[in-house]
Each structure stands twice: as structure tokens, then as C-alpha cells.
Amino acid sequence: MKWTDELGTSHGRRLRRGVLADGREVFAKIGEDSPVFAAEAAGLRWLGEAIAVPEVIEAAEDRLVLSWVSEEPPTAAAAERFGRDLARLHRAGAPAYGAPWPGFIADLPMSNAPAEDWPTFYASRRVLPFVRRARLPAGDVQLIERAVERFGEVAGEPEPPARIHGDLWSGNLLWSGGTGVLVDPAAHGGHRETDLAMLALFGAPHLDRILGAYRQEAPLVDGWRERVPLHQLHPLLVHVVLFGASYRDSLMAAVTRVLAL
């Protein structure tokens, strides 16, 4: 393999572009030995059974090498195609809420141990562990715990586990080949509304076209728009843990909206 470009760093890892002996271009993350690389590779392969993702060329303890994605500007047509693709991904399903590989979001570990239903999984594997890491004021913690107690009431009608990306903010969605290509997953069996809420959190291009095409392919349960803050609690907690109090107001606004459901 020949490295051609240094692409900066992400979470302490070097990002590189290279060329294989057969001429294929690749993208690599290189760093200290970490289980993150194997978990990401497992998630990509699983998602790739149903949707466009980079091919995993190599997954080692100190690197992850993927096929290169040639990006293009997002278009309304590509967004609609991605919406349909995402619906098919979710419909591919999962054996349980959780996954057989360790969970990570950025470098932060998450339990993917299975749970009997989504409210239990979301509370015990996603929200509460990050509340403990976030070092929030006691009053904030009490409000979040009150919201967690309501998960079973406000989560909507039960649905089977969906095959989800798990960290689907706009930066993990590349545009190539006339559709969206998923990268950097925290893949697991979860609730399909989680991916949609993540797309909305920081604003994906042509989000209305994505959602419209998705709903044509896989109609959503009544009340899904009102549940968006519920599914944003975990990513907002992650941002508080990673970046500090600047995300506290957004987190607590979402908590207030969940308590009002």
C-alpha cells in the first residue's frame, strides 16, 4: 500500500488516503491498538448487507482500511434514494436490541448487551450510563431520571428491532453514486426513529426529501415527530461528555420536551 495524502486526525487517530497495489484507492484510520476498529468493521459489514457502505479492506488492532468514497454534492434525487435505502436498512432487522460486538460512539464505550425491549435498552445501555459520565448538576440528573422513568410510556407502539446506524448525524453520511453512503457507525439493533432523529439533530441536506421518501417506503408510527427529542437524549449526552457544558441547554430542552409528552 502506498500512502498519498495525510487527511488530518480524528479522535487522536491519523487519517490517510492511499492506493493498493491493484490501483484501488483506500481510506485509513491509524492509531494505537483499540477495539474500536474491529467494532466499526463489524458494524459496517452488517450494515453493508442492506445499504451502501465502504468495503472493509483491513481491520487490525491499530488500523482500519476502507474503500475510498468519492464524494459528490447532495441532490434532492440522491436524498430521496437514500431515504428509501435507509428504510430498507431498518427493515432488514436485527436479532435483538443490541449487538454481538462492543459498542462505541467516538471513543466512548457503550454496552450492546441485549435487552428485552427498546425502552429498557435505551435507558440502561445508552442514556443512564452517559448521565453518570456527564457530571451534570444534581437537579439536571433528577430531571433526566424522571424522563427515563417515562420511556415505556412515551416510546410509542412497540416495534421489532431495526438494523440501525446508531450515530447518523450528517457528518457520517457521505454523498456518492447518487445516494447516501454510511460511515463511522455505532451499529446495533435499535429503534428506527433513532437514526431519523440523529439526521435532524444537526441538519442533514434535503432532510425533508429523505424523510418523505423514507415514509413512502416505510410509514412511521403516529407521534414520531413528537418523539424526536426522546431519541436525541443520548447523542446530546454524548456531546456533553465529549465537549462539555456548551451542550447542556440543548440536552435539558430535550429532557423538558420528553417530560411533556
Side-chain angles (χ1 to χ4, degrees):
M1 184 186 307
K2 178 183 178 181
W3 301 118
T4 59
D5 295 289
E6 295 277 356
L7 303 175
T9 61
S10 176
H11 301 293
R13 301 187 184 90
R14 290 171 291 151
L15 308 180
R16 287 184 168 183
R17 182 175 184 172
V19 179
L20 300 179
D22 61 9
R24 287 181 294 165
E25 288 190 291
V26 296
F27 168 80
K29 302 179 183 180
I30 303 170
E32 297 180 357
D33 289 1
S34 171
V36 173
F37 295 125
E40 182 175 340
L44 283 171
R45 290 179 176 124
W46 188 56
L47 297 178
E49 295 172 4
I51 200 170
V53 300
E55 178 188 356
V56 177
I57 305 296
E58 179 186 13
E61 291 183 348
D62 64 345
R63 71 179 60 194
L64 178 64
V65 182
L66 308 173
S67 59
W68 182 262
V69 177
S70 296
E71 294 186 67
E72 59 196 24
T75 64
E80 291 176 359
R81 179 177 170 187
F82 173 68
R84 294 189 292 272
D85 290 346
L86 184 62
R88 287 192 285 271
L89 170 69
H90 291 165
R91 198 161 51 231
Y97 296 103
W101 50 79
F104 293 92
I105 191 162
D107 276 344
L108 301 175
M110 305 185 295
S111 172
N112 274 339
E116 62 182 9
D117 56 48
W118 182 78
T120 300
F121 178 85
Y122 191 53
S124 62
R125 313 292 195 260
R126 294 294 182 265
V127 174
L128 290 175
F130 282 82
V131 172
R132 291 189 283 271
R133 298 178 194 177
R135 299 183 180 180
L136 292 163
D140 290 357
V141 172
Q142 290 172 1
L143 285 174
I144 295 170
E145 289 175 343
R146 280 177 51 196
V148 169
E149 290 173 356
R150 300 201 63 222
F151 282 1
E153 303 171 39
V154 302
E157 297 177 15
E159 294 194 355
R163 187 173 306 205
I164 71 170
H165 178 281
D167 188 17
L168 191 49
W169 71 288
S170 58
N172 288 340
L173 174 60
L174 307 182
W175 297 96
S176 182
T179 188
V181 177
L182 301 183
V183 297
D184 293 342
H188 63 280
H191 199 300
R192 61 193 180 122
E193 290 176 11
T194 296
D195 276 350
L196 303 181
M198 279 293 293
L199 284 171
L201 185 56
F202 299 114
H206 303 291
L207 180 59
D208 57 335
R209 297 296 187 98
I210 295 173
L211 294 175
Y214 182 99
R215 294 172 65 195
Q216 288 180 354
E217 186 77 21
L220 291 162
V221 177
D222 288 347
W224 68 273
R225 291 187 186 277
E226 290 73 23
R227 289 189 293 273
V228 166
L230 169 65
H231 292 272
Q232 291 178 344
L233 290 181
H234 175 242
L236 286 169
L237 276 164
V238 170
H239 278 72
V240 172
V241 173
L242 289 174
F243 305 115
S246 61
Y247 284 93
R248 174 186 170 272
D249 288 350
S250 296
L251 168 65
M252 297 315 297
V255 171
T256 300
R257 291 171 66 188
V258 172
L259 287 170
L261 288 174

